[in-house]
Amino acid sequence: MTHELGHAVHEYVSKKYGELGREKSCAQAETASIFAEQLVFAALLKAETDSKHRFILLAKHIEEMIAKTYRQIAFYRFEDMAHIERTNGEVSAQRLQEMFKSVMDNYLGPSVDTTGVEFICAGIHHFFEYDYYVYSYCFSCCVVNSLYEVYKSGTVANFAEKCMDMLTDSGVENYCSALAKFGIDATSPTFWQDGMRLFEQELSELETLEADIMKRTYINLEKKATH
Ligand SMILES: [Zn+2]
């Protein structure tokens, strides 16, 4: 719901430029929605004090980030393979399934049984309706993580207003110059690495919580055993 609310706010503010100005890239559209998700997630996590509940929230958020980055990159690789192979002639449904299974095997690794995963490609409508749309989730996830780091640092004055301006102008302004207003250089490789830092922080908090929960469970079990 938060994700779609982000899209709604973006649509609303970008009406300033009329119908033509409303045309924006998929990556910009997903930045609005994923940033909204990030804000709500951070507020939920801040309000939660129970370590088991924090664990569940964090685990869910990390899984979503994995789905937005690694999974979408796997989808992108499948799409790329399919388009390249299509230049040599018609590609059968069976061949599409083979290609999809090979990228999913690669993404999930040997510990996951991927039997039947090949049929999922038929249900992802982005492949058929919006070429390469899948990549925008990964792009936007990294942009949002970096933007969120800037927001937390408090180094950019009037962050919220600037964010709304970026969304308003997204149909008429270049993405790199829009991000430059936040001190972000989207052409630098470190920008993309910075985007993954949030991922790393959440993962280490999850590991600390897990160790704490395991320790307390063990102490409780020991207490029961001694009674
Ligand atoms: Zn979306």
Side-chain angles (χ1 to χ4, degrees), residues 32-55:
S33 54
I34 297 174
F35 196 75
E37 277 183 53
Q38 181 61 35
L39 288 177
V40 171
F41 165 73
L44 286 173
L45 193 68
K46 197 178 169 192
E48 188 56 71
T49 51
D50 182 277
S51 55
K52 277 188 184 169
H53 291 171
R54 285 182 72 84
F55 182 87

mmCIF file of all heavy atoms in Angstrom, residues 32-55:
data_model
loop_
_atom_site.group_PDB
_atom_site.id
_atom_site.type_symbol
_atom_site.label_atom_id
_atom_site.label_comp_id
_atom_site.label_asym_id
_atom_site.label_seq_id
_atom_site.Cartn_x
_atom_site.Cartn_y
_atom_site.Cartn_z
ATOM 1 N N ALA A 32 10.181 6.931 -6.276
ATOM 2 C CA ALA A 32 9.127 7.529 -5.436
ATOM 3 C C ALA A 32 8.471 6.472 -4.555
ATOM 4 O O ALA A 32 8.286 6.666 -3.350
ATOM 5 C CB ALA A 32 8.084 8.191 -6.332
ATOM 6 N N SER A 33 8.145 5.329 -5.148
ATOM 7 C CA SER A 33 7.414 4.305 -4.401
ATOM 8 C C SER A 33 8.303 3.593 -3.388
ATOM 9 O O SER A 33 7.892 3.327 -2.255
ATOM 10 C CB SER A 33 6.794 3.296 -5.366
ATOM 11 O OG SER A 33 7.793 2.788 -6.218
ATOM 12 N N ILE A 34 9.552 3.305 -3.768
ATOM 13 C CA ILE A 34 10.441 2.573 -2.849
ATOM 14 C C ILE A 34 10.888 3.492 -1.698
ATOM 15 O O ILE A 34 11.056 3.041 -0.568
ATOM 16 C CB ILE A 34 11.631 1.928 -3.611
ATOM 17 C CG1 ILE A 34 11.106 0.877 -4.603
ATOM 18 C CG2 ILE A 34 12.613 1.264 -2.649
ATOM 19 C CD1 ILE A 34 12.138 0.272 -5.525
ATOM 20 N N PHE A 35 11.025 4.792 -1.970
ATOM 21 C CA PHE A 35 11.379 5.717 -0.897
ATOM 22 C C PHE A 35 10.239 5.784 0.127
ATOM 23 O O PHE A 35 10.479 5.818 1.339
ATOM 24 C CB PHE A 35 11.696 7.113 -1.446
ATOM 25 C CG PHE A 35 12.430 7.978 -0.445
ATOM 26 C CD1 PHE A 35 13.772 7.758 -0.178
ATOM 27 C CD2 PHE A 35 11.786 8.986 0.246
ATOM 28 C CE1 PHE A 35 14.461 8.520 0.763
ATOM 29 C CE2 PHE A 35 12.457 9.758 1.189
ATOM 30 C CZ PHE A 35 13.802 9.525 1.450
ATOM 31 N N ALA A 36 9.008 5.778 -0.352
ATOM 32 C CA ALA A 36 7.852 5.774 0.565
ATOM 33 C C ALA A 36 7.886 4.525 1.436
ATOM 34 O O ALA A 36 7.652 4.578 2.652
ATOM 35 C CB ALA A 36 6.554 5.835 -0.231
ATOM 36 N N GLU A 37 8.206 3.379 0.822
ATOM 37 C CA GLU A 37 8.309 2.117 1.584
ATOM 38 C C GLU A 37 9.377 2.234 2.663
ATOM 39 O O GLU A 37 9.178 1.793 3.804
ATOM 40 C CB GLU A 37 8.767 0.982 0.658
ATOM 41 C CG GLU A 37 7.684 0.334 -0.136
ATOM 42 C CD GLU A 37 8.266 -0.817 -0.955
ATOM 43 O OE1 GLU A 37 8.941 -1.692 -0.392
ATOM 44 O OE2 GLU A 37 8.054 -0.831 -2.180
ATOM 45 N N GLN A 38 10.530 2.813 2.285
ATOM 46 C CA GLN A 38 11.650 2.928 3.210
ATOM 47 C C GLN A 38 11.282 3.779 4.427
ATOM 48 O O GLN A 38 11.612 3.437 5.561
ATOM 49 C CB GLN A 38 12.866 3.525 2.470
ATOM 50 C CG GLN A 38 14.109 3.675 3.314
ATOM 51 C CD GLN A 38 14.634 2.354 3.878
ATOM 52 O OE1 GLN A 38 14.548 1.316 3.231
ATOM 53 N NE2 GLN A 38 15.137 2.391 5.097
ATOM 54 N N LEU A 39 10.555 4.882 4.189
ATOM 55 C CA LEU A 39 10.162 5.768 5.292
ATOM 56 C C LEU A 39 9.231 5.058 6.265
ATOM 57 O O LEU A 39 9.390 5.153 7.484
ATOM 58 C CB LEU A 39 9.479 7.030 4.746
ATOM 59 C CG LEU A 39 10.377 8.042 4.033
ATOM 60 C CD1 LEU A 39 9.549 9.187 3.480
ATOM 61 C CD2 LEU A 39 11.445 8.598 4.981
ATOM 62 N N VAL A 40 8.267 4.324 5.715
ATOM 63 C CA VAL A 40 7.307 3.619 6.578
ATOM 64 C C VAL A 40 8.005 2.493 7.344
ATOM 65 O O VAL A 40 7.801 2.317 8.546
ATOM 66 C CB VAL A 40 6.103 3.090 5.761
ATOM 67 C CG1 VAL A 40 5.229 2.173 6.602
ATOM 68 C CG2 VAL A 40 5.285 4.259 5.244
ATOM 69 N N PHE A 41 8.888 1.773 6.646
ATOM 70 C CA PHE A 41 9.626 0.696 7.307
ATOM 71 C C PHE A 41 10.452 1.254 8.476
ATOM 72 O O PHE A 41 10.439 0.708 9.575
ATOM 73 C CB PHE A 41 10.546 -0.029 6.310
ATOM 74 C CG PHE A 41 11.566 -0.895 6.989
ATOM 75 C CD1 PHE A 41 11.193 -2.094 7.584
ATOM 76 C CD2 PHE A 41 12.896 -0.496 7.081
ATOM 77 C CE1 PHE A 41 12.123 -2.872 8.260
ATOM 78 C CE2 PHE A 41 13.823 -1.273 7.750
ATOM 79 C CZ PHE A 41 13.435 -2.466 8.337
ATOM 80 N N ALA A 42 11.162 2.373 8.232
ATOM 81 C CA ALA A 42 12.012 2.967 9.282
ATOM 82 C C ALA A 42 11.158 3.400 10.477
ATOM 83 O O ALA A 42 11.571 3.212 11.630
ATOM 84 C CB ALA A 42 12.783 4.147 8.714
ATOM 85 N N ALA A 43 9.968 3.942 10.216
ATOM 86 C CA ALA A 43 9.086 4.381 11.308
ATOM 87 C C ALA A 43 8.596 3.176 12.109
ATOM 88 O O ALA A 43 8.535 3.206 13.347
ATOM 89 C CB ALA A 43 7.912 5.172 10.741
ATOM 90 N N LEU A 44 8.257 2.085 11.416
ATOM 91 C CA LEU A 44 7.792 0.861 12.099
ATOM 92 C C LEU A 44 8.902 0.282 12.963
ATOM 93 O O LEU A 44 8.677 -0.103 14.116
ATOM 94 C CB LEU A 44 7.360 -0.194 11.064
ATOM 95 C CG LEU A 44 6.044 0.022 10.338
ATOM 96 C CD1 LEU A 44 5.873 -1.017 9.235
ATOM 97 C CD2 LEU A 44 4.868 -0.097 11.316
ATOM 98 N N LEU A 45 10.109 0.254 12.406
ATOM 99 C CA LEU A 45 11.248 -0.316 13.132
ATOM 100 C C LEU A 45 11.589 0.527 14.358
ATOM 101 O O LEU A 45 11.901 -0.007 15.421
ATOM 102 C CB LEU A 45 12.459 -0.423 12.197
ATOM 103 C CG LEU A 45 13.617 -1.274 12.712
ATOM 104 C CD1 LEU A 45 13.236 -2.753 12.786
ATOM 105 C CD2 LEU A 45 14.853 -1.119 11.837
ATOM 106 N N LYS A 46 11.500 1.839 14.214
ATOM 107 C CA LYS A 46 11.818 2.743 15.312
ATOM 108 C C LYS A 46 10.835 2.549 16.471
ATOM 109 O O LYS A 46 11.213 2.598 17.645
ATOM 110 C CB LYS A 46 11.743 4.190 14.800
ATOM 111 C CG LYS A 46 12.442 5.177 15.700
ATOM 112 C CD LYS A 46 12.377 6.567 15.122
ATOM 113 C CE LYS A 46 12.848 7.584 16.154
ATOM 114 N NZ LYS A 46 12.535 8.935 15.744
ATOM 115 N N ALA A 47 9.572 2.318 16.138
ATOM 116 C CA ALA A 47 8.542 2.189 17.165
ATOM 117 C C ALA A 47 8.551 0.809 17.835
ATOM 118 O O ALA A 47 7.960 0.624 18.894
ATOM 119 C CB ALA A 47 7.172 2.453 16.545
ATOM 120 N N GLU A 48 9.214 -0.166 17.217
ATOM 121 C CA GLU A 48 9.176 -1.536 17.722
ATOM 122 C C GLU A 48 10.318 -1.799 18.711
ATOM 123 O O GLU A 48 11.483 -1.586 18.376
ATOM 124 C CB GLU A 48 9.273 -2.510 16.531
ATOM 125 C CG GLU A 48 9.058 -3.954 16.888
ATOM 126 C CD GLU A 48 7.724 -4.213 17.580
ATOM 127 O OE1 GLU A 48 6.696 -4.130 16.921
ATOM 128 O OE2 GLU A 48 7.740 -4.512 18.803
ATOM 129 N N THR A 49 9.996 -2.246 19.914
ATOM 130 C CA THR A 49 11.044 -2.491 20.907
ATOM 131 C C THR A 49 11.258 -3.988 21.162
ATOM 132 O O THR A 49 12.319 -4.384 21.634
ATOM 133 C CB THR A 49 10.699 -1.810 22.251
ATOM 134 O OG1 THR A 49 9.368 -2.180 22.621
ATOM 135 C CG2 THR A 49 10.817 -0.294 22.170
ATOM 136 N N ASP A 50 10.260 -4.797 20.828
ATOM 137 C CA ASP A 50 10.387 -6.239 21.055
ATOM 138 C C ASP A 50 11.389 -6.830 20.049
ATOM 139 O O ASP A 50 11.231 -6.654 18.837
ATOM 140 C CB ASP A 50 8.997 -6.883 20.869
ATOM 141 C CG ASP A 50 9.029 -8.372 21.138
ATOM 142 O OD1 ASP A 50 9.402 -9.133 20.215
ATOM 143 O OD2 ASP A 50 8.698 -8.758 22.258
ATOM 144 N N SER A 51 12.427 -7.520 20.553
ATOM 145 C CA SER A 51 13.481 -7.971 19.634
ATOM 146 C C SER A 51 12.988 -9.002 18.614
ATOM 147 O O SER A 51 13.454 -9.026 17.483
ATOM 148 C CB SER A 51 14.700 -8.471 20.394
ATOM 149 O OG SER A 51 14.328 -9.454 21.291
ATOM 150 N N LYS A 52 12.020 -9.845 18.999
ATOM 151 C CA LYS A 52 11.507 -10.831 18.032
ATOM 152 C C LYS A 52 10.765 -10.128 16.891
ATOM 153 O O LYS A 52 10.878 -10.508 15.730
ATOM 154 C CB LYS A 52 10.581 -11.836 18.720
ATOM 155 C CG LYS A 52 11.360 -12.950 19.388
ATOM 156 C CD LYS A 52 10.443 -14.034 19.890
ATOM 157 C CE LYS A 52 11.247 -15.075 20.646
ATOM 158 N NZ LYS A 52 10.420 -16.006 21.374
ATOM 159 N N HIS A 53 9.994 -9.096 17.257
ATOM 160 C CA HIS A 53 9.256 -8.349 16.229
ATOM 161 C C HIS A 53 10.217 -7.568 15.336
ATOM 162 O O HIS A 53 10.025 -7.477 14.133
ATOM 163 C CB HIS A 53 8.242 -7.397 16.876
ATOM 164 C CG HIS A 53 7.106 -8.129 17.527
ATOM 165 N ND1 HIS A 53 6.172 -7.510 18.319
ATOM 166 C CD2 HIS A 53 6.767 -9.438 17.507
ATOM 167 C CE1 HIS A 53 5.307 -8.407 18.764
ATOM 168 N NE2 HIS A 53 5.645 -9.575 18.285
ATOM 169 N N ARG A 54 11.274 -7.007 15.949
ATOM 170 C CA ARG A 54 12.288 -6.284 15.162
ATOM 171 C C ARG A 54 12.958 -7.252 14.179
ATOM 172 O O ARG A 54 13.217 -6.913 13.031
ATOM 173 C CB ARG A 54 13.353 -5.666 16.069
ATOM 174 C CG ARG A 54 12.894 -4.441 16.818
ATOM 175 C CD ARG A 54 14.032 -3.877 17.662
ATOM 176 N NE ARG A 54 15.068 -3.246 16.865
ATOM 177 C CZ ARG A 54 15.019 -1.999 16.421
ATOM 178 N NH1 ARG A 54 13.987 -1.254 16.710
ATOM 179 N NH2 ARG A 54 15.992 -1.502 15.690
ATOM 180 N N PHE A 55 13.201 -8.469 14.664
ATOM 181 C CA PHE A 55 13.830 -9.496 13.831
ATOM 182 C C PHE A 55 12.958 -9.776 12.588
ATOM 183 O O PHE A 55 13.443 -9.812 11.460
ATOM 184 C CB PHE A 55 14.029 -10.777 14.650
ATOM 185 C CG PHE A 55 14.712 -11.880 13.901
ATOM 186 C CD1 PHE A 55 16.097 -11.968 13.878
ATOM 187 C CD2 PHE A 55 13.971 -12.829 13.199
ATOM 188 C CE1 PHE A 55 16.732 -12.981 13.159
ATOM 189 C CE2 PHE A 55 14.599 -13.837 12.486
ATOM 190 C CZ PHE A 55 15.986 -13.916 12.467
#
